[in-house]
Amino acid sequence: MLDYKLLEALATVLEVGGFERAGDVLGLTQSAISQRIKALEVRLGQPVLVRHPHLAATPAGQRLLNHYQRVCLLERELGHALPTLEVASPRLRIAVNADSLVTWWASAVSDFCQREDVLLDLVIEDQDVGLKRLRDGDVAACLCASDQPIAGARCVPLGTMAYHPMATPRYIARYFPDGPTESAFRRAPAIVYGPHDQLQHRFLARFGYHGPFPYHLCPESEGFVRLASAGMGYGMMPMMQVREPVERGELISLAPGHALEVPLYWHFWRHSGTLLERLTSTLRAVHLT
Amino acid sequence: MLDYKLLEALATVLEVGGFERAGDVLGLTQSAISQRIKALEVRLGQPVLVRHPHLAATPAGQRLLNHYQRVCLLERELGHALPTLEVASPRLRIAVNADSLVTWWASAVSDFCQREDVLLDLVIEDQDVGLKRLRDGDVAACLCASDQPIAGARCVPLGTMAYHPMATPRYIARYFPDGPTESAFRRAPAIVYGPHDQLQHRFLARFGYHGPFPYHLCPESEGFVRLASAGMGYGMMPMMQVREPVERGELISLAPGHALEVPLYWHFWRHSGTLLERLTSTLRAVHLT
């Protein structure tokens, strides 16, 4: 049997980002934490942590962490059956895409978390990285736009989010006086989430435009909306994120009827107890609009 | 003299995240891009790019990129003096803390960017990582809470942001019926931005509390507010970010009069032309509240 005290030390060091703080959390000295990590590495015959460029698990450490988190979830089930055990509430580590997090996510899971006494450890990632984290066992579930299945995980479709090309009326009057034309696309500053953001390209392709265009890069969902609201550019945004500025007339679509539908999928480990199953049921009940 | 076509290829590959896309942007084949990167590596005698875990500059590549960006900024100055040169507008790469980005940043810089025809490449980082990026030459400027000076950069104080411990009235009635007491802190779920987030600890220390407390982790500024608005926890938020939910009575402070003041500093390269100087003047005129 593994010594779970060692795994707990590893998980805590990674969660709080340091040996001294992990000691504070577990009521141990920093040196006791170091000894536990060392003991784990001796047993495993290889390092579980790297220090540079920042504290992180090695692939082997990640495997151990994955296993530890699954055991915690199973212990939690046991704690419900045997309440006198007083099993601590686990923190559920989940990768979520930023647009969901700033729109429907919190209201969808709030009751669940309070009822089940669950704490969340949210990681903000877009699809490829989120799924990689799931595969590596770094997160227990991943909410993203990819339906690519991961071995050992289930994939459940949750619906779609509609993205509209939004900007201020003044911006549109200035840069799109004749609507979405090639010459407008060529000089109107767009706002793009990151180099891998395909929404802007998909939108332009709808109008047969594949040429260069000026753009700001802003990898933060709400900041993205703020740049558009300040008149700096236009960008593809989930309608549910901009309902208020739209109602106030601050943001409008520059091409009504040309929304892009982005599907959302929920990936989660099988065989990790029923907590994730119940969270999945909660998410299935959400009606994305 | 360096061959700036090679540096342009390197900068474009890193900006768009791939050789093929860089070719599209520069009107070259993927193989021509590869040859330019290769030529740069031959001249330098070491790699400028790593492919794994994701495409990134080596430290040497980063130095070249830093130099290239400075030259672009200086060229831009020249373009103003000699408009017939038709110098392309550079993208200004800046590290910004998320809380500023989702509050005052866009309205502060919007006029400047439009007037000066500047595109932004925003990187969301908290202070330590943002300053490291500045030191490495990955960004031209960094907005953060640290006044730690960086060699070759100037540091300008911009004011302070006030963080308040906010939650829904219902949450406060449930978890803080007797106000901010030790027993309440021990069981009320907090929301923490990340393992290095010190605001929550600083707030608790004000009340002499240094014990454990349950918390959700949410490293996304607006998502953080959404979790609190959904009643999942309390957390330290800039008042200017939550003005609307506060006006609607959805969020209130659980300890009025116990805001934490966080200073903001603007760090930027010296000797990169006057564009950054003018942006700095624009930011100095902001009145944070």
Side-chain angles (χ1 to χ4, degrees), chain A residues 165-236:
Chain A
M166 307 300 286
T168 62
R170 202 170 141 195
Y171 175 92
I172 292 173
R174 175 176 173 189
Y175 287 103
F176 290 92
D178 305 315
T181 63
E182 182 172 322
S183 68
F185 288 140
R186 192 175 296 280
R187 65 180 208 91
I191 308 168
V192 171
Y193 195 80
H196 301 290
D197 180 0
Q198 289 305 301
L199 281 178
Q200 179 66 27
H201 290 94
R202 275 175 59 195
F203 171 70
L204 293 174
R206 281 221 174 170
F207 294 92
Y209 186 74
H210 300 278
F213 58 93
Y215 58 92
H216 300 282
L217 281 165
C218 180
E220 215 274 351
S221 192
E222 193 67 17
F224 189 108
V225 172
R226 305 285 162 127
L227 293 189
S229 295
M232 292 175 69
Y234 74 102
M236 302 303 293

Side-chain angles (χ1 to χ4, degrees), chain A residues 125-139:
Chain A
E125 293 291 8
D126 273 335
Q127 55 202 63
D128 295 338
V129 181
L131 283 179
K132 185 178 177 304
R133 283 185 186 258
L134 183 68
R135 196 165 40 231
D136 293 346
D138 179 31
V139 297

Side-chain angles (χ1 to χ4, degrees), chain B residues 99 160-166 197-207 235-239 253 255-263 289:
Chain B
D99 291 342
T160 62
M161 285 172 83
Y163 285 72
H164 297 254
M166 307 300 287
D197 182 0
Q198 288 306 301
L199 281 178
Q200 180 67 27
H201 290 94
R202 276 176 57 195
F203 171 71
L204 294 174
R206 281 220 175 171
F207 294 91
M236 302 304 291
M237 299 168 204
M239 183 50 75
S253 170
H258 287 279
L260 295 176
E261 297 285 332
V262 175
T289 48

Side-chain angles (χ1 to χ4, degrees), chain A residues 21 102 110 120 195 217 226 230, chain B residues 21 102 110 120 216-217 226 230:
Chain A
R21 284 191 203 153
V102 301
S110 174
L120 299 181
L217 281 165
R226 305 285 162 127
Chain B
R21 284 191 202 155
V102 302
S110 174
L120 299 182
H216 300 282
L217 280 165
R226 305 286 162 126

